[in-house]
Structures are given as C-alpha cells and as structure tokens.
Amino acid sequence: MSKMPPPLTLHAIAAAIGAGLAPLRAEPPVRLSVWAAEHYRQSAESSHTSGAWTAWPLQIGWMDAFSNDDIEEVTVRKAKRVGYTKTLLAFIAYNAAHRRRNQALWQPTDDDRDSFVKTEIEPMLRDVDSVQAVQVAGKEDTIKLKTFLGSLLHLLGGKAARAFRRITVSVAMVDEADAFDQKVERAVDPMAAAQGRLEGAAFPKFITGSTVRVDGVSHIQHRESRAEAVVRYHIECPHCHLEHPLVWGGKKVAHGFKWDAGDPASVRHLCPHCRQPIRQADYLRVWDGGAWISECGRWRYDHHAGQWLDAAGQPTRPPRHVAFADVWTPYSPQRDWPDIVREFIAADAKAEQGDTGPLETFVNETLAQYWKVQMDSADQHALAQRAEHWPLRHVPQGGLLLVAGIDVQDNRWEVVVWAVGRGEEMWAVDYQVIYGNPADEREWEEKLDPYLFETSFQHASGKALKIEATAIDTGGHFTHQAYNYARLRERRRVFAVRGDPQPSKMIKGKATIQDVNFRGKVLKRGVRLWYVGTDSAKDLIYGRLMVPHPGPGFVHFSKALPAEFFSQLTAEARMPVRTARGTDYRWVNPKRARNEVLDCTVYAIWCTHQLGLHLYTDAMWERLEQALQPDLFAAAGDDAQPAAAPAPTLPTAPRRINRIGRLGSALT
Ligand SMILES: [Zn+2]
C-alpha cells in the first residue's frame, strides 16, 4: 500500500509535468481565420503594409474551408489582387505550426516555384513567430523542401511528371492551376496527380486556386463543375434587403455594374431584385454582413459563427467539395470601382480595333471569368443532316477499300470502319461497340476476329469487301493484350498504334519495336508499335468535314449511324492554348465528352497512310475500280452470296501493283 502524497505536492507535480510537456501538447484545432488573426503576420517584401493582418469578410469563407476537416476539396476561381496568396500562406503557416500536417504546394513551373519560395514562403517563415517556433535547426531547408517539427512542406514545379510522384501528404495545394499544362509529359493530368498524393491521408485536403483563362480548357472550370457546392459571396441589398452577389452584368443585363456614358466615376451596382444602386462605399458598409451562398441554395457559410447552415438556417455538414466562384475585383476594398470601369473602356476600345488581348486580360484577371474563343470545330448537326440513305455494312459505289480503327475502353472495343475511294473520298460504313473484357486475351480473339476477318461488307457492285487494314490503340489500360493481338495478326494487317498528340507530327509516325509480355514470358522485340500524329490527323479530318460537295476529300455518312456517332466525331475543337512559347493551337476536348469515334477515325486515317492511299495514282484507283466491276459472267443461281472481291487492294510497292493488275485482269 503506498501512501498518498499530500495534495499540495500532487498539485506541484502536475504543474511541473504540465510545464515540461507544454511544447508537445496539441492545441485544440481552431479555424484558420481565427488562428491567422492571432498568429499570422505579413512580410514587408510582399505587402504594402507589414505586420498584423486582418482577413476580409469574404476571404474568411475559403480560409475556413481550407482548415475544415469535413471539406476535402476547395476550388477558388479568382481575379488577380484579391488577397488569395496571403490566405494560402496563412494556411501553410497554420499547417506547419498548428496542425503539423505534411503539405505540398505546386506552382506551374520550377521558376515560378523558386520565385514564390523566395518572395513569399521564406519571408513568411521568418516573420511568423509560431512558424519560427517549429523550425528545426540542421534539418533540410531547401527551395524544394522545408522541415518543421512534426511536418514537411514540399515545394514543387508542375512541368515534370516526377514532381507528382513519391511524396505523400495531407494537404495538396495547386497555385495558379490554369497555368498548368492540360497534360504533363503528354499523359498525366496534373490536378488528378496532385490530388493522388493525398491517398491514405486521414483528412485529405486538395486546394486549387487560380485566375482562369480559356473557356473549355481550364483546370479550375473542370474542378468547379465537379464541386458539390458552388458558392458566391452575397451581400444584403440596403434597399430591398434581399441578398445578391456582385456581378459585372454587361450591356444586355439590367443589373450589375452601370455607369453614365463617358463617366466611369458614376459607376454603381444595381440590385438584381429592386434595381436600386449601391456605390463602393455602400458595399463596404454591408460587406461584413455578407455570406457565401451556394447556387443550389442548400448551403451558406456564416463566417461570424464559423458554421455551415442549410436553407432553413440550421447547422449542417459542409459540402465535401466547395468551389468559391466569381471572386472578382469589386469585392476587394483595394480596387477602386471607377478604375475597373476605366480598364474595361480602354480594353473594349482596343478590341474594337481588333486587338482583343487587353479585353482577354480584363475578363480573366479582373472579372475572374473564362475567355471564350472562336473554336474551329465541326457542327455535328450539319453532318447528321447531310447523311445519305444506305444501310450500315454496305459500301456505296465510290468506296473501294475498307480500313478500320479500334479504340479500347475498360469494358469494350469501339470500331469504326471507313470505305475509301478515289481522291480519298470516304464513307463511314460501320460503327460497332463490342462489349467484353479487354483484360482477357481470349476475348480479343473471340470478339474481334469474327468482326474484322469474317464480316462481309456488301459493295454496291454486288461484290463483298473485307477490311484491308486495322489499327488498334494500345495507349489505354490493355497495352500488352493489344500488342499480343496485333503481333499475331500483323500478316492480316492488324497494327498496334499509339497516339502522339504533339503538334505537327506526321500522321504516319515512326515505328518502334516493343517487347511483349506473352503469358508471363517477355518476347524481346515482339511487336511493331506505330506512332500516330493525332494532331495532324485531326486537322486532316476536320478539313475534310468542311469539304462541301461529294468528290475528292468529301466524307459521307449513312443515315443509319446513331446520333452519338456524330457528337463523338465532332467532340474536339482546335483552340488556342497558352504555352511557354506563346499561344499554340491544339485539339482539345472542351466538354470532356466521349470521343471514341474520332479516335477510331484517326486510326483509320493512319491506315490509309500505312497503305499509301494518299499517294495513289489515277491508274491505281482505276485498277481497284475494275476489280469491283459487276461480274457479268457469274453463274446464275450462285448469286445468293456476294462473291468476295479477292484482295484486289494492297499496294504501295510496285510489285504489289503488278499483282493487282493480274488479279484485275483475271476478273474480266
Ligand atoms: Zn435590392
């Protein structure tokens, strides 16, 4: 039996333990806005004023979303100069000093990262005392990695795929997301890759914020479209007491920013409900009473109470993914409203003279809106309307040989068969979606062989045509299955291909010899893989779709094709994309719509180049035509089955052409 010490001693022991353990004791987590008000300091290098910092009412919304463990993803579509960077820095400090969480921040390039670290991160680490307290002397402190007591901060550039590998963090932040490539090293979606670094985190947090750029190719737009709640900052109208966000409005809209012609200083914001005006000073009187409210009306954030509320004003769980939209400059107390109007008037005048650059900058950086560009794209409805009457798997008169392109998806193969004739006039003769499991090599044989080798396509002459050449995309999830399938059928002109989307690549690119994994054994140099210049092929297809009249280059469609065929064929558009070298035009899929028909057609076009059809002379086409002449001497009664035109095709080398000549004469 131990004797209890007197209470005074116990108290002293508890106090001593408490004092000794103080540095290890976790403080109960507080919201970022609360923490930042007490601890965050701005540095002289990056601000007009240094020292204590007060978040604006609207900034509190996304800051608290950053720190809320029930929210996994935060997207911020913002103008320039709305103080976003400060809030991100405060969050980095908060994670290091208060939550001790591993974090990673990506900037568009290594240079961007370097300058961000020097002008923003390092001054912050120096000036925020509570971050000072968790810095560890002697531990790694480089431009790429900062070490704190209990956590790490990775600082990365977004140009290389390896910048999105290996690390595991709880907080992944992508700054200036719209300046990132659509695909890094042609294959990796940088946003998905950054988010992938959160795997296994107890409280994953993915943050993307950016001024946005071109409509349809914006990472932020894609994130925003997937958000559970898209919120805008609403203020209460001092006249009618209804809530509304600030909007630009424009000439055709009765509310929003309005001014008297030639007098930017007269600018006021008209309420969408009562059309009464408020000036900037009125806005600044009511802004603290505002709230972030979702489009759907299900959520609002009360930044005073730090609570998400439902439509009835009751506390509710926050949205798992919240997008803060339209964070444009009039919300900032640092941007003068008349000055915004002046910027617009100047940009608009330039645009009138044909220079849209300043207006694009205004739309992106002041309005926080997407810039819509004129796209080169084909009109699916116009194409469907000009479709002609003939059944699928029939080949109209001018079609002389058949090529097929195959796209492989997780649960199916999609096949488009094109007939090609003189002058590369083309006819879409079949579109098949063959369901199955491409992971299983036997299914390739069972599902594809009958279609590719046994289907008879009946030609208008009464003869039957077979597919001359087939290109299979090997770029998906089933590369080795595709390699094996093509490898065993090279003699039947089944080719393994892979798209190369770099601009100006030849349609028929180089071939490489690939090892193949066949039933667990590596076959060295087992298959030839051909690269397809997809950008050039799409240019060619698009150009042909614009050919107005039947004849060379014209593309024919059957009325029997489904509407889906036309929407997929026209899913992509050529759009300007900003790159390190300036503006480049690329084929993009702005709505991320299904586009397998276009891909199949790209591979079929590659087949025509592989067969050399683009180099055919008149005499060569004529031989193909002769081979399909109706056979006047066919035995009567024998015409139930159309006779297969015996591979009259297949050319490129003169030797082969002679062979066609012989076959052609044998038929007559
Ligand atoms: Zn009103």
Side-chain angles (χ1 to χ4, degrees), residues 152-163:
L152 297 170
L153 167 62
H154 300 271
L155 298 150
L156 301 153
K159 278 286 181 190
R162 72 185 137 71

Side-chain angles (χ1 to χ4, degrees), residues 80-368:
K80 288 247 194 285
R81 297 175 297 274
V82 292
Y84 176 79
T85 301
K86 286 284 157 297
T87 62
L88 197 63
L89 285 168
F91 186 50
I92 291 169
Y94 170 91
N95 286 318
H98 184 53
R99 304 302 290 274
R100 313 228 167 144
R101 285 182 174 171
N102 290 330
Q103 40 183 339
L105 173 73
W106 283 265
Q107 292 283 339
T109 66
D110 283 358
D111 282 349
D112 294 331
R113 184 269 318 272
D114 293 355
S115 98
F116 190 79
V117 171
K118 283 177 193 140
T119 61
E120 303 285 355
I121 297 278
E122 287 175 348
M124 180 273 282
L125 299 182
R126 181 194 66 210
D127 293 339
V128 177
D129 290 343
S130 51
V131 181
Q132 273 286 320
V134 292
Q135 289 185 60
V136 199
K139 285 287 169 75
E140 186 164 353
D141 177 14
T142 64
I143 204 138
K144 293 181 187 168
L145 183 70
K146 305 289 177 195
T147 309
F148 307 108
L149 198 63
S151 75
L152 297 170
L153 167 62
H154 300 271
L155 298 150
L156 301 153
K159 278 286 181 190
R162 72 185 137 71
F164 297 94
R165 292 189 195 126
R166 287 193 293 275
I167 58 167
T168 303
V169 292
S170 298
V171 181
M173 295 164 278
V174 178
D175 198 19
E176 280 307 321
D178 270 18
F180 282 66
D181 292 341
Q182 288 289 299
K183 290 276 162 96
V184 172
E185 292 180 11
R186 293 193 271 137
V188 177
D189 172 357
M191 303 301 126
Q195 191 173 26
R197 301 296 88 211
L198 298 167
E199 206 157 286
F203 300 105
K205 179 78 65 186
F206 184 50
I207 295 173
T208 51
S210 192
T211 49
V212 292
R213 294 185 176 178
V214 175
D215 185 41
V217 287
S218 159
H219 288 296
I220 291 290
Q221 191 171 26
H222 183 52
R223 305 313 303 184
E224 189 179 324
S225 72
R226 294 158 40 130
E228 188 174 11
V230 176
V231 295
R232 289 180 175 79
Y233 197 71
H234 287 57
I235 54 165
E236 186 184 304
C237 172
H239 307 287
C240 69
H241 302 286
L242 294 174
E243 293 169 311
H244 64 271
L246 297 180
V247 299
W248 173 250
K251 281 184 193 136
K252 294 177 189 151
V253 179
H255 63 276
F257 257 42
K258 302 293 164 198
W259 62 93
D260 303 333
D263 183 12
S266 66
V267 64
R268 60 270 177 190
H269 189 274
L270 301 193
C271 168
H273 307 292
C274 69
R275 305 276 156 78
Q276 292 298 306
I278 62 164
R279 301 272 185 151
Q280 187 164 21
D282 302 319
Y283 159 69
L284 291 172
R285 270 193 290 276
V286 299
W287 75 331
D288 191 42
W292 288 97
I293 299 174
S294 70
E295 260 168 5
C296 60
R298 274 182 62 196
W299 282 283
R300 69 184 288 140
Y301 185 66
D302 174 349
H303 64 265
H304 295 287
Q307 266 184 336
W308 287 89
L309 306 175
D310 64 17
Q314 294 303 305
T316 186
R317 74 162 177 87
R320 193 197 61 74
H321 176 180
V322 56
F324 293 82
D326 297 336
V327 187
W328 66 304
T329 46
Y331 283 115
S332 162
Q334 292 171 355
R335 187 81 198 268
D336 184 45
W337 284 11
D339 192 45
I340 295 169
V341 173
R342 278 182 214 107
E343 185 195 347
F344 168 75
I345 291 171
D348 194 43
K350 286 268 188 194
E352 290 285 322
Q353 297 154 20
D355 175 8
T356 55
L359 192 58
E360 183 173 350
T361 304
F362 176 79
V363 167
N364 288 164
E365 299 185 359
T366 298
L367 302 188

